[in-house]
Amino acid sequence: MVQRAPRKSAAKTTHPASAQVIKDLHERMVRIRLFETEAGKLMEAGKLPGFLHLYVGQEAVAAGVMAALRDDDQITSTHRGHGHAVAKGVGFREMYSELYGRVTGACLGRGGSMHINDLTRGMLGANGIVGAGVPIAVGAAFAARYKGEDNIAVTFFGDGATNIGAWHEGANMAAILDLPVVFVCENNGYAEFTPQSAHMLITDVADRAAAYGMPSVIVDGMDAVAVHRAATEAVERARSGAGPMMIEAKTYRFFDHQGVKGLRHPYRSDEEVAEWKSRDPIDLIEARAVADGTATRAELDEVWQRTRDEIAEAIAYAEASPLPDPADMLLNVYSG
């Protein structure tokens, strides 16, 4: 019988993390935050086509998990996928060019915000269909096992995705075959505009893992070190052949479901948003770094400025890049 992992939320980490890990997590989160902030500004200015689901507030989850992975490990993402792509190493130039719909984009300008992928980075794709990344990650894990390779797969999804049949099918297959896949639920409390309490009767989404004999753990999704610790355990477990594990990270998105201002639908209070913002994951790790001597304020500020400069260059590159040629409309389009 598979033993379940501890179920208490880790509001605070209790074991020291190395300075290298703290700096790595901080830089990944800063890169996500600034990428998303600038993307939001571009959308508000009418410069980006399509939808934009911003990851601001949830940075600790992507950073904590990706810092535990190897370059050849693979991930599947969601409609809110920019943070995962940036943390996995997809370049700013390719990311912004894709948002602009330019041929220099990660998907040659064809995927847009919700379908960015970069197979060279193990990023198998963001996905506009809720829960659709789960069976893809399970398939990637099966392929690794079949080929005798030791890379693993990680699938990200929200609380609402665990109501989808594909999630349950994927979880069952991963568990029964002991596949090297980690299930990461980014529980930000809402399925679009619907609070978790209105679409499921359980409080902890991680409870659903037990139905498939899969161990699970709940972590504070605003604490990148706590996420990284849980992810390291789950990744090592999967890579060793012990099978899948589920992580539920309790987190929060600071912006609306779509865009910055969204539909102005009053589904959550200003007080709730302010309370979560008071636990900004970047503020938390910076306070920790300064307090324990891992980094000075000047060193942290340098990361922000260096990233701003890189983003400014990437946006200029994207804006100067050409649009797709209509003559290539059917390139990479297949039919059965």
Side-chain angles (χ1 to χ4, degrees):
M1 184 64 137
V2 176
Q3 296 297 313
R4 296 179 66 196
R7 303 305 309 280
K8 292 183 179 180
S9 296
K12 295 183 179 180
T13 52
T14 56
H15 301 290
S18 70
Q20 180 180 358
V21 167
I22 294 292
K23 290 179 177 179
D24 183 353
L25 295 172
H26 174 255
E27 182 159 3
R28 289 179 200 255
M29 287 196 289
V30 168
R31 290 177 69 81
I32 296 169
R33 175 66 57 86
L34 288 177
F35 177 90
E36 293 289 67
T37 301
E38 292 305 311
K41 292 177 182 177
L42 292 170
M43 182 186 185
E44 292 292 302
K47 293 185 177 182
L48 301 182
F51 294 96
L52 198 71
H53 301 83
L54 299 173
Y55 196 75
V56 174
Q58 300 183 198
E59 293 91 350
V61 186
V65 173
M66 247 58 83
L69 299 181
R70 299 190 323 215
D71 290 345
D72 63 338
D73 290 330
Q74 298 171 304
I75 68 168
T76 62
S77 185
T78 69
H79 57 280
R80 199 176 309 282
H82 305 160
H84 305 138
V86 170
K88 194 65 169 71
V90 182
F92 284 157
R93 280 186 167 193
E94 293 81 2
M95 292 282 290
Y96 279 115
S97 292
E98 191 60 37
L99 295 186
Y100 271 93
R102 306 304 171 94
V103 293
T104 52
C107 303
L108 307 181
R110 294 167 175 266
S113 169
M114 288 193 284
H115 301 97
I116 292 176
N117 71 71
D118 186 342
L119 302 187
T120 67
R121 299 287 184 174
M123 170 56 170
L124 300 184
N127 205 310
I129 302 173
V130 174
V134 174
I136 296 173
V138 171
F142 180 87
R145 172 68 58 79
Y146 183 80
K147 293 186 289 186
E149 299 171 347
D150 71 341
N151 58 296
I152 68 138
V154 177
T155 182
F156 293 88
F157 50 89
D159 53 295
T162 66
N163 295 326
I164 302 297
W167 187 90
H168 293 274
E169 293 167 3
N172 186 59
M173 179 174 285
I176 199 69
L177 297 178
D178 281 330
L179 295 179
V181 57
V182 178
F183 292 75
V184 180
C185 177
E186 297 186 279
N187 188 354
N188 61 25
Y190 293 90
E192 292 190 347
F193 310 106
T194 305
Q196 180 187 335
S197 61
H199 67 77
M200 64 176 68
L201 294 181
I202 57 176
T203 300
D204 299 321
V205 179
D207 287 346
R208 292 188 159 170
Y212 303 103
M214 189 190 308
S216 61
V217 64
I218 299 171
V219 297
D220 178 1
M222 308 305 274
D223 183 342
V225 178
V227 175
H228 180 256
R229 182 175 296 113
T232 299
E233 176 189 348
V235 167
E236 291 176 352
R237 185 179 189 281
R239 206 182 306 281
S240 70
M245 181 173 174
M246 179 173 172
I247 299 170
E248 179 184 0
K250 308 278 192 180
T251 186
Y252 201 78
R253 52 176 162 80
F254 291 172
F255 292 142
D256 212 336
H257 167 65
Q258 198 279 133
V260 176
K261 299 175 182 177
L263 300 177
R264 313 291 181 92
H265 179 62
Y267 63 97
R268 56 184 190 174
S269 68
D270 292 340
E271 292 75 18
E272 177 183 302
V273 176
E275 182 179 356
W276 278 94
K277 284 186 175 181
S278 71
R279 299 196 65 249
D280 186 304
I282 302 180
D283 290 346
L284 292 178
I285 204 166
E286 289 188 342
R288 179 191 186 120
V290 172
D292 65 16
T294 297
T296 64
R297 183 67 253 177
E299 290 173 326
L300 298 173
D301 289 343
E302 193 276 330
V303 173
W304 286 91
Q305 188 56 54
R306 171 161 36 89
T307 306
R308 287 190 183 95
D309 292 342
E310 185 179 348
I311 284 176
E313 188 279 331
I315 292 174
Y317 171 84
E319 291 180 341
S321 296
L323 290 166
D325 187 337
D328 297 329
M329 184 179 298
L330 298 182
L331 182 67
N332 297 325
V333 175
Y334 304 94
S335 62

